[in-house]
Amino acid sequence: MNLRHSLLALLVAVLWGVNFVAIDMGLHPDSGDVPPLLFVAMRFVLVVFPLIFFIRKPDVSWKAILGVGLFMSAGQFGLLYLAMALGMPAGLASLVLQAQVLLTVLLSAGFLGERPSRSQLFGVVLGVAGLAVVAVGRSAVAPLLPLIIVLGAALSWAAGNVIARQAKAASGLGLVVWSGAVVPVPLAGLSLLVDGPDAVLGTLAHLQPVTIASALYTAIFGSLVGYGIWNRLLARYPSSAVVPFTLLVPVVGMSAAWLLLAEIPTPAELAGGALLLGGVATAVLTRGGSPRQRRDVVLAPDFGAGGGTGLGLRTGDADDGRLAAAAGNRAGAREPETR
């Protein structure tokens, strides 16, 4: 990955790290707990509307949109919010969810045939070792059921990563918005069944400012900005080059939880965080990948080319032909897209 894309991936890690604190605050306002599945549905209503009326459907199959919506959005966040509502600390949740790093690499190898380089694989292993150190340090204060539920969320996120990578959507933001439309109705319906109509209607009638602010942050910065960038990077680079950046998420998440929720990190958490940073540096900042993968990256258009927004919403692909020509016309010239 080039420097600009690496910085964008780093931005995503910061946004997602703070996201866990925002979720915790929104789930537990002073007036009482918010039903977690209803809260996820609220988040994705804000993700989808009104943008879905202004952003065209991404040039991927409906099956891919449904898969990303079910796994990366509904499955991941439904399980994550449920676990945090059951008592999973925000900082620890940001850590355990990063099990998706290893799961994504494994699923990508099995379903997409992507083989990580030795340096990338070593970086992931080092990062996972850091996760293990922090997990052992916090295991005594984490109930078993929420921990298992977050691991399920990690598996769902990994599956969504693989589907998004395979879909190769030209518009990462478009994929976020259109796949997000899969979420609100099923999860709101599940909340009605699990929590009951009285709890759902009572929550909607007496929304607290902190819950509204949390929903806005998670929708705008966690989903639209974060996943808009994330899906575009997955479409351009092998998963093993992009996913290791998420190892920074628990470092940010635990730091934010320390400052805002008084979740003081233990020495094991600090030691594990150092290993995580070492894993990210090893996996991402070293050259890796097969010659074919490196060639594909060279031929890929610049992020946001042709007047894009920086979130993957582009007005044209005029730079594609220029980059292909610079690479010796190996990819062939392409006509600019019309938006």
Side-chain angles (χ1 to χ4, degrees):
M1 293 174 64
N2 63 36
L3 177 60
R4 181 168 59 158
H5 292 177
S6 296
L7 291 176
L8 286 171
L10 179 61
L11 172 64
V12 172
V14 173
L15 294 177
W16 284 350
V18 176
N19 203 46
F20 289 90
V21 174
I23 293 169
D24 188 87
M25 290 180 170
L27 281 172
H28 306 293
D30 294 336
S31 61
D33 293 343
V34 174
L37 298 182
L38 175 65
F39 198 20
V40 180
M42 291 167 52
R43 168 181 178 164
F44 279 92
V45 167
L46 296 172
V47 169
V48 174
F49 298 102
L51 286 179
I52 198 168
F53 298 114
F54 302 98
I55 297 176
R56 62 182 293 182
K57 172 185 171 294
D59 188 20
V60 299
S61 68
W62 285 106
K63 182 179 178 180
I65 291 175
L66 180 63
V68 171
L70 288 177
F71 288 100
M72 188 177 284
S73 299
Q76 178 194 171
F77 292 110
L79 292 171
L80 174 64
Y81 280 47
L82 176 61
M84 294 180 67
L86 292 175
M88 190 72 167
L92 186 60
S94 71
L95 166 72
V96 176
L97 192 62
Q98 301 319 307
Q100 62 87 16
V101 172
L102 178 60
L103 294 171
T104 299
V105 173
L106 294 176
L107 291 179
S108 295
F111 290 96
L112 303 181
E114 294 182 358
R115 298 294 187 267
S117 67
R118 291 182 179 179
S119 61
Q120 290 171 334
L121 186 58
F122 177 73
V124 171
V125 171
L126 185 61
V128 170
L131 294 175
V133 170
V134 182
V136 169
R138 291 297 301 268
S139 60
V141 299
L144 181 60
L145 180 58
L147 182 67
I148 295 173
I149 293 174
V150 175
L151 288 173
L155 179 60
S156 187
W157 185 2
N161 281 339
V162 172
I163 295 171
R165 166 68 178 155
Q166 192 171 33
K168 296 183 180 295
S171 171
L173 181 60
L175 183 59
V176 170
V177 172
W178 281 80
S179 66
V182 176
V183 180
V185 172
L187 291 194
L190 282 175
S191 184
L192 284 170
L193 291 175
V194 173
D195 303 301
D198 291 341
V200 170
L201 295 177
T203 298
L204 294 175
H206 302 93
L207 285 175
Q208 299 297 304
V210 66
T211 299
I212 296 173
S214 171
L216 288 171
Y217 178 89
T218 57
I220 295 172
F221 294 102
S223 289
L224 293 176
V225 177
Y227 276 99
I229 296 172
W230 186 252
N231 287 336
R232 282 300 301 276
L233 292 178
L234 283 173
R236 296 177 182 278
Y237 296 99
S239 299
S240 55
V242 179
V243 171
F245 274 98
T246 61
L247 291 171
L248 286 171
V249 172
V251 177
V252 177
M254 289 187 292
S255 299
W258 183 8
L259 295 173
L260 300 175
L261 302 177
E263 293 182 8
I264 301 175
T266 65
E269 290 175 324
L270 296 176
L275 284 176
L276 290 177
L277 290 175
V280 170
T282 302
V284 179
L285 300 181
T286 56
R287 289 185 175 272
S290 66
R292 171 63 181 274
Q293 290 172 338
R294 291 195 295 269
R295 186 189 67 185
D296 290 343
V297 170
V298 170
L299 296 180
D302 197 17
F303 189 79
T309 64
L311 296 176
L313 181 62
R314 300 187 298 171
T315 57
D317 288 333
D319 284 348
D320 288 10
R322 176 178 58 80
L323 289 174
N329 290 321
R330 285 172 292 179
R334 298 193 311 179
E335 292 294 328
E337 263 182 56
T338 314
R339 292 283 190 240

